[in-house]
Amino acid sequence: MVTAGVGTLVPPLVKDRLPEQFRPLWQRLLATPDDEWNIVGESIAISTQWAIGLAELSIGALALAALVSPALRPRFANLALCGATALFGTFMLVLFFLHEADLPKWNQYPGLLLWIAATWALLRLPAQRT
């Protein structure tokens, strides 16, 4: 998630985020043709990019804190996994309801949600004492 957040917030690292993901998504949501795209639409697309990038960084920071702190692991891991589920679930719902063939096909989200669910299930297992 930290890597995803850095990729979202540093355009030279992942060049398709704004032009191929956020702009087309907001053009579709705002029903704005390419020739009518304006500063308001661009501002919304960039704001969304920053909101998602900061959310990804926050989720990653919580997950890393859970990794290094056994005492805080249950709480921080739950927060990180809940955040990741909310983020990816929202992406899936938006794309499902838009059902736009020209938007990117983010087919990895069902697999990511399954991975999150499996991780969450493992966290819920009781710790075995040796």
Side-chain angles (χ1 to χ4, degrees):
M1 291 305 298
V2 171
T3 303
V6 170
T8 299
L9 296 176
V10 182
L13 294 176
V14 182
K15 298 176 185 188
D16 72 340
R17 290 282 208 270
L18 188 62
E20 295 180 27
Q21 294 177 12
F22 294 105
R23 277 188 197 128
L25 177 67
W26 280 104
Q27 284 176 324
R28 176 70 169 97
L29 287 171
L30 298 172
T32 307
D34 286 339
D35 58 345
E36 292 181 17
W37 188 245
N38 58 31
I39 191 70
V40 173
E42 185 72 5
S43 297
I44 292 170
I46 291 170
S47 296
T48 305
Q49 177 181 5
W50 274 91
I52 289 172
L54 292 173
E56 290 168 335
L57 286 176
S58 298
I59 293 164
L62 284 168
L64 289 172
L67 181 69
V68 299
S69 176
L72 297 173
R73 186 166 297 140
R75 179 174 290 148
F76 281 11
N78 277 331
L79 285 171
L81 292 167
C82 183
T85 301
L87 187 65
F88 294 130
T90 301
F91 291 162
M92 283 180 56
L93 286 174
V94 168
L95 293 173
F96 175 78
F97 284 116
L98 286 178
H99 198 62
E100 177 64 42
D102 294 336
L103 291 175
K105 305 292 183 276
W106 294 320
N107 297 328
Q108 72 271 24
Y109 292 138
L112 285 169
L113 287 173
L114 183 61
W115 169 71
I116 291 167
T119 303
W120 222 326
L122 288 172
L123 279 173
R124 303 306 302 165
L125 291 175
Q128 293 193 351
R129 297 183 181 172
T130 55

